[in-house]
Amino acid sequence: MGLIVQKFGGTSVANAERIRAAAKRIVETYKAGNQVIVVVSARGQTTDELIELAYEITDKPSTREMDMLMSTGEQISIALVAMAIHALGYPAVSFTGGQVGIVTDSYHTKARIRNINAQRIKKELDNGTIVIVAGFQGIDANENITTLGRGGSDTTAVALAAIMKADRCDIFTDVDGIYTADPRKVPHARKLNTISYDEILELASLGAQVMHSRSIEFAKKYNVPLYVRSSFNDKEGTLICKEAKEMENIVVSGVAVSKDDAKITIRAVPDVPGQAAKIFHEIAKRNINVDMIIQNASIEGRADVTFTVPRSDLREALNVAEKIKKDLGAKEVLHDSKIAKLSVVGIGMRSHCGVAEKMFSVLADEKINIQMISTSEIKISCVIDEAHADRALRTVHTAFGLDKVEKEEVVKV
Amino acid sequence: MGLIVQKFGGTSVANAERIRAAAKRIVETYKAGNQVIVVVSARGQTTDELIELAYEITDKPSTREMDMLMSTGEQISIALVAMAIHALGYPAVSFTGGQVGIVTDSYHTKARIRNINAQRIKKELDNGTIVIVAGFQGIDANENITTLGRGGSDTTAVALAAIMKADRCDIFTDVDGIYTADPRKVPHARKLNTISYDEILELASLGAQVMHSRSIEFAKKYNVPLYVRSSFNDKEGTLICKEAKEMENIVVSGVAVSKDDAKITIRAVPDVPGQAAKIFHEIAKRNINVDMIIQNASIEGRADVTFTVPRSDLREALNVAEKIKKDLGAKEVLHDSKIAKLSVVGIGMRSHCGVAEKMFSVLADEKINIQMISTSEIKISCVIDEAHADRALRTVHTAFGLDKVEKEEVVKV
């Protein structure tokens, strides 16, 4: 007998039929002898409808009142899920975030959980009751309703799993699990049985948005095993857990491509100490996230500084760059938003050599020019021309042996 | 400067336009130098939609989960009303029933308020903030969400007005005020400027359902003046307050007809002491509300007992009556559901004679047979054939001088 947290996303409770299907899964887990805590998101389009109601009233709704409004979405879901479990003849009780003592800070619409008073949940579980908790929400120290922002229901589930020391946290969603690459772009992408927190964190930040990185960081911190699976079928999903010995046999776990960045070059910056600091200090002041940075070798006392920023921040970053250009006496500012970032991720890289070399040579064979490179312990990213992105993704995916192979789970480089 | 509670019903906040109109009224009251507490119902069809969601899942939803579900309706409204007030540039904050300490018993879907901890409201009012409270809801001692049942938002408003010692409680609704009779049936019905709690209580129970009698009883108990008016126009409404001297000049304040009752007669009941008690004990055990009772004079040691029950309970009451017939050795059970109850109400009756006589003679002139009569200090009710109900209503209304007369407010008998 164990304690399982099960989280159902918005599409998994979008209508009565799906709510009944979710209830069936919950009851199966309960009948298998487990204590079950269920975390539910707002049904399908509910959140969008509530936002629309607010914007019919005002174009600048207060964040406190938005949280008051938005939190009703999950409250509706939990009541319906509890009813569906009752209809199957099993005991269940629903709670809002506030009712189970999920206390957050007061940053409305993007609050962070401070602590959870799990007494009430514990009592109900000990009574043999299935506990349904509204995801995405909590209350602050003054009992104002808060919401946790993007990926908030995942965060609720992981936080509850951590505090209750759950054996596992199931994330029911509309995909079958985590793939070696986006299956829409790479038809031969393979579903992974397991992946480490660190790998999925690198993949998440690259656009493979199965779960928000905040909740994965949380799961990593408290070592909560996450099991990502589809609520629409019974296929095996992907277990996200801490690094295991056998994972190291797989050098590359996934390949991802993102087209969310733009590149800025400040040309011929006088090469005296402190110039780079000045540039990135000004950018950071605007809350713009710089990802990759390259400074080429100095020629005649001047160097080119190139960096990437989110495309949505390009205009503002260019304004800053133009201002800096004058201040530093640089020559000109160039930019390119038609770039893509291709990344390979895998904890096996730590103990295996040659991953970077292989990636570069595959791209060279394809005559794809590498504009920038950045590496971490378990990731290599290359900036390339956006036009070649999907071809590069597929070629690299194949080169690292990630394509689907029947009856063979572990593929080595 | 005073403290005003303003309650807006579902039709008054049904869409963005109406919410903005409500916000304007609230702000006007605030700008006039008042502290304002606003109580809001769920928007228009929201409650029905939520009920439908529940019944898509199960035909026997638990009452606790129904309350969890239903209470979201008001929560959506309060957030939107607060936003609309913000949009006009005034300070407002919304609260759920639980957040402002409206503590009820645990009878889900029909809970009763036990106490209100008004500290939070007081603090916000003292800060100059307009306080928006979700009607219809509270929490029980274990912080489960409860709802107050029919007329619940009115009850919330009156209870807050009582505990906060408000100067007035405005009830904004979809009618202009209280009329001498239902204007749909009596085109010449006149709007009353004032009416006493007792009179409206008698009228409410007779089908003039502007407010639920529970909240009027509450207002009477705590002497909260209620001002019923339309949220769609600026016409003067009707003030419901405790009896005033001048009210006694108006003998009859209103006439109402209800078609919700049915009549049962148990014929030839042996006339020994305790028989009536037996009959009504059995009926009461089934939670059936008996309204009027007549026992005619005994003939040959047997009497007929006639009583009225709600039509919706007729079938069950007849079953009980048949059983009693056997037990008592009575002759037969008759019934008639084609009856109507015509009532005239007015606190002036206490000091004026001849009201009953006048009512009876008007009906006699119209050749309408009176089947049963019941009277209270301020009410006379007659059961008549349903077919004559509306004609009787209009004739009696006219006979008591209640028809609309230009430039004349007080009409004496």
Side-chain angles (χ1 to χ4, degrees):
Chain A
M1 185 177 125
L3 170 56
I4 314 275
V5 174
Q6 300 195 306
K7 182 255 173 178
F8 291 87
T11 50
S12 307
V13 292
N15 55 41
E17 188 193 340
R18 291 190 183 170
I19 288 172
R20 273 191 289 266
K24 229 179 241 176
R25 285 184 185 276
I26 295 163
V27 164
E28 276 164 22
T29 310
Y30 177 83
K31 277 161 67 180
N34 299 293
Q35 294 187 322
V36 186
I37 301 171
V38 180
V39 174
V40 194
S41 301
R43 292 168 313 134
Q45 300 307 311
T46 308
T47 303
D48 290 342
E49 287 165 16
L50 290 171
I51 291 174
E52 202 183 306
L53 284 178
Y55 283 93
E56 280 175 18
I57 299 287
T58 173
D59 51 359
K60 282 182 203 145
S62 96
T63 56
R64 182 192 183 277
E65 300 303 334
M66 275 308 273
D67 280 354
M68 177 65 90
L69 181 67
M70 304 292 287
S71 61
T72 61
E74 287 75 26
Q75 192 173 327
I76 291 170
S77 297
I78 54 172
L80 297 176
V81 170
M83 288 175 190
I85 295 173
H86 293 163
L88 296 174
Y90 290 85
V93 63
S94 73
F95 293 115
T96 64
Q99 283 176 327
V100 289
I102 298 178
V103 178
T104 71
D105 59 28
S106 298
Y107 290 96
H108 285 291
T109 74
K110 45 190 172 188
R112 293 191 168 246
I113 295 176
R114 280 201 174 147
N115 56 64
I116 299 179
N117 173 356
Q119 283 312 308
R120 179 119 196 215
I121 294 179
K122 212 162 246 164
K123 197 182 130 197
E124 295 290 347
L125 290 177
D126 289 345
N127 286 340
T129 306
I130 297 168
V131 174
I132 323 287
V133 178
F136 180 68
Q137 58 179 249
I139 48 168
D140 72 3
N142 292 315
E143 292 190 12
N144 295 302
I145 295 173
T146 53
T147 68
L148 307 178
R150 270 187 72 193
S153 289
D154 288 339
T155 306
T156 303
V158 173
L160 284 172
I163 198 115
M164 300 296 295
K165 301 193 191 341
D167 297 284
R168 201 180 69 219
C169 180
D170 290 345
I171 306 287
F172 286 98
T173 180
D174 48 6
V175 298
D176 289 349
I178 314 289
Y179 280 75
T180 50
D182 184 339
R184 287 167 302 185
K185 290 177 184 160
V186 182
H188 293 296
R190 214 173 61 226
K191 189 164 63 193
L192 294 162
N193 291 336
T194 57
I195 189 167
S196 70
Y197 298 121
D198 287 330
E199 287 168 315
I200 190 79
L201 279 170
E202 295 283 14
L203 284 169
S205 70
L206 294 171
Q209 298 279 11
V210 175
M211 283 183 77
H212 198 261
S213 46
R214 198 168 132 200
S215 41
I216 298 168
E217 276 163 13
F218 212 96
K220 180 188 170 192
K221 185 170 170 191
Y222 292 98
N223 194 22
V224 176
L226 299 173
Y227 187 47
V228 176
R229 51 184 301 196
S230 169
S231 54
F232 304 134
N233 62 50
D234 285 322
K235 289 184 192 162
E236 292 283 315
T238 302
L239 185 70
I240 309 174
C241 56
K242 75 176 169 189
E243 213 173 305
K245 203 77 200 147
E246 66 270 20
M247 286 183 183
E248 290 178 14
N249 294 328
I250 308 165
V251 177
V252 169
S253 295
V255 187
V257 72
S258 101
K259 298 175 183 171
D260 300 327
D261 299 296
K263 188 175 78 170
I264 296 177
T265 301
I266 306 181
R267 282 208 52 216
V269 178
D271 193 8
V272 289
Q275 300 293 65
K278 268 183 209 158
I279 294 172
F280 297 110
H281 175 70
E282 287 299 314
I283 303 263
K285 264 178 24 188
R286 267 81 174 180
N287 248 329
I288 298 172
N289 228 354
V290 171
D291 182 20
M292 294 164 79
I293 301 171
I294 288 180
Q295 182 173 335
N296 66 355
S298 173
I299 301 171
E300 295 172 3
R302 287 175 179 261
D304 297 345
V305 176
T306 302
F307 55 94
T308 61
V309 296
R311 274 187 208 177
S312 53
D313 292 329
L314 176 62
R315 186 178 300 268
E316 201 182 346
L318 280 176
N319 289 339
V320 180
E322 285 292 348
K323 185 178 161 292
I324 295 170
K325 183 193 77 176
K326 278 184 206 151
D327 293 354
L328 300 185
K331 202 167 156 196
E332 62 179 331
V333 173
L334 307 172
H335 71 274
D336 182 2
S337 59
K338 300 252 179 252
I339 60 166
K341 184 167 65 175
L342 179 72
S343 305
V344 299
V345 169
I347 57 171
M349 286 186 200
R350 290 199 194 114
S351 45
H352 290 72
C353 318
V355 176
E357 189 199 349
K358 178 160 195 160
M359 184 173 182
F360 301 158
S361 67
V362 168
L363 292 175
D365 290 349
E366 290 285 317
K367 311 231 178 303
I368 296 170
N369 187 39
I370 298 172
Q371 304 176 15
M372 300 173 84
I373 298 168
S374 88
T375 59
S376 80
E377 218 188 350
I378 64 166
K379 181 182 75 168
I380 300 163
S381 299
C382 297
V383 169
I384 58 175
D385 186 327
E386 190 188 70
H388 307 315
D390 293 345
R391 179 165 56 95
L393 174 66
R394 283 191 299 271
T395 312
V396 170
H397 190 269
T398 304
F400 281 102
L402 295 173
D403 288 357
K404 210 182 293 181
V405 183
E406 296 302 316
K407 303 280 171 205
E408 188 179 353
E409 281 298 330
V410 177
V411 179
K412 293 187 187 176
V413 187
Chain B
M1 184 178 128
L3 170 57
I4 313 274
V5 174
Q6 300 195 306
K7 182 255 172 178
F8 291 87
T11 50
S12 308
V13 290
N15 55 42
E17 189 193 339
R18 291 190 183 169
I19 289 172
R20 274 191 287 267
K24 229 179 242 178
R25 284 183 186 277
I26 294 163
V27 165
E28 276 164 21
T29 309
Y30 177 83
K31 277 161 67 181
N34 299 292
Q35 294 186 321
V36 186
I37 301 171
V38 180
V39 174
V40 194
S41 301
R43 292 168 314 134
Q45 299 308 310
T46 308
T47 303
D48 291 341
E49 287 165 15
L50 290 171
I51 291 174
E52 202 182 307
L53 285 177
Y55 283 93
E56 280 174 18
I57 300 287
T58 173
D59 51 359
K60 282 182 203 145
S62 95
T63 55
R64 182 193 183 278
E65 300 303 334
M66 275 309 273
D67 280 354
M68 179 65 90
L69 181 67
M70 305 292 287
S71 61
T72 61
E74 288 74 27
Q75 193 173 326
I76 291 170
S77 297
I78 54 172
L80 297 177
V81 170
M83 289 175 189
I85 295 173
H86 293 163
L88 296 174
Y90 291 85
V93 63
S94 73
F95 293 114
T96 64
Q99 283 176 326
V100 288
I102 297 179
V103 177
T104 71
D105 58 29
S106 297
Y107 290 97
H108 285 291
T109 75
K110 45 190 172 189
R112 291 190 171 249
I113 296 175
R114 278 200 176 148
N115 56 64
I116 298 178
N117 173 356
Q119 283 312 308
R120 179 117 197 217
I121 295 180
K122 210 163 247 164
K123 197 182 129 199
E124 296 290 348
L125 291 176
D126 289 346
N127 285 341
T129 306
I130 297 168
V131 174
I132 323 288
V133 179
F136 181 66
Q137 60 178 248
I139 50 168
D140 72 5
N142 292 314
E143 291 190 12
N144 295 301
I145 295 173
T146 53
T147 67
L148 307 179
R150 271 188 71 194
S153 288
D154 288 340
T155 306
T156 303
V158 173
L160 285 172
I163 198 113
M164 300 298 295
K165 301 196 190 342
D167 296 285
R168 200 178 71 217
C169 180
D170 291 344
I171 306 287
F172 285 97
T173 180
D174 48 5
V175 298
D176 289 348
I178 314 288
Y179 280 75
T180 50
D182 184 339
R184 287 166 303 184
K185 290 177 185 161
V186 183
H188 292 296
R190 213 173 62 227
K191 190 164 63 193
L192 294 160
N193 291 335
T194 58
I195 190 166
S196 70
Y197 298 121
D198 287 330
E199 287 168 315
I200 189 80
L201 279 170
E202 294 284 13
L203 284 169
S205 71
L206 294 171
Q209 297 279 14
V210 175
M211 283 182 77
H212 198 263
S213 47
R214 198 168 133 201
S215 41
I216 298 169
E217 277 162 15
F218 213 95
K220 181 188 170 191
K221 185 171 169 190
Y222 292 98
N223 195 21
V224 175
L226 300 173
Y227 187 46
V228 176
R229 53 184 299 196
S230 170
S231 53
F232 305 133
N233 62 51
D234 286 322
K235 289 184 193 163
E236 293 282 316
T238 301
L239 185 70
I240 309 175
C241 56
K242 75 177 170 189
E243 214 173 303
K245 202 77 200 146
E246 67 271 20
M247 287 183 184
E248 290 178 17
N249 295 329
I250 308 165
V251 177
V252 169
S253 295
V255 187
V257 72
S258 103
K259 298 175 184 172
D260 300 328
D261 299 295
K263 187 175 78 169
I264 296 176
T265 301
I266 306 181
R267 282 209 51 217
V269 179
D271 193 9
V272 290
Q275 301 293 65
K278 268 182 210 158
I279 294 172
F280 297 111
H281 175 70
E282 287 299 314
I283 303 261
K285 263 178 25 189
R286 267 82 174 179
N287 248 329
I288 298 172
N289 228 353
V290 171
D291 182 21
M292 295 164 78
I293 301 172
I294 288 180
Q295 183 173 336
N296 67 356
S298 172
I299 301 171
E300 296 172 2
R302 286 175 178 261
D304 298 345
V305 176
T306 302
F307 55 94
T308 61
V309 296
R311 272 186 210 178
S312 52
D313 292 328
L314 177 60
R315 187 177 299 268
E316 200 181 347
L318 280 176
N319 289 340
V320 179
E322 285 291 347
K323 185 178 160 293
I324 294 169
K325 183 193 76 176
K326 279 183 206 152
D327 293 354
L328 299 185
K331 202 165 156 195
E332 64 178 332
V333 173
L334 307 172
H335 72 272
D336 183 1
S337 59
K338 300 247 179 258
I339 60 166
K341 185 168 64 172
L342 179 72
S343 304
V344 299
V345 169
I347 57 170
M349 286 186 201
R350 291 199 194 114
S351 45
H352 291 72
C353 318
V355 176
E357 188 198 350
K358 180 161 192 159
M359 183 174 183
F360 301 157
S361 67
V362 168
L363 292 175
D365 289 349
E366 290 286 317
K367 309 232 179 302
I368 296 169
N369 187 38
I370 298 172
Q371 303 175 15
M372 300 173 82
I373 298 168
S374 89
T375 59
S376 80
E377 217 187 351
I378 64 165
K379 181 181 75 167
I380 300 164
S381 299
C382 297
V383 169
I384 58 175
D385 186 326
E386 189 189 71
H388 307 314
D390 293 345
R391 179 164 55 96
L393 175 66
R394 283 190 299 272
T395 313
V396 170
H397 190 267
T398 304
F400 281 103
L402 295 173
D403 288 357
K404 211 182 291 181
V405 184
E406 296 302 317
K407 304 281 171 205
E408 189 178 353
E409 281 298 328
V410 177
V411 180
K412 293 188 188 178
V413 187

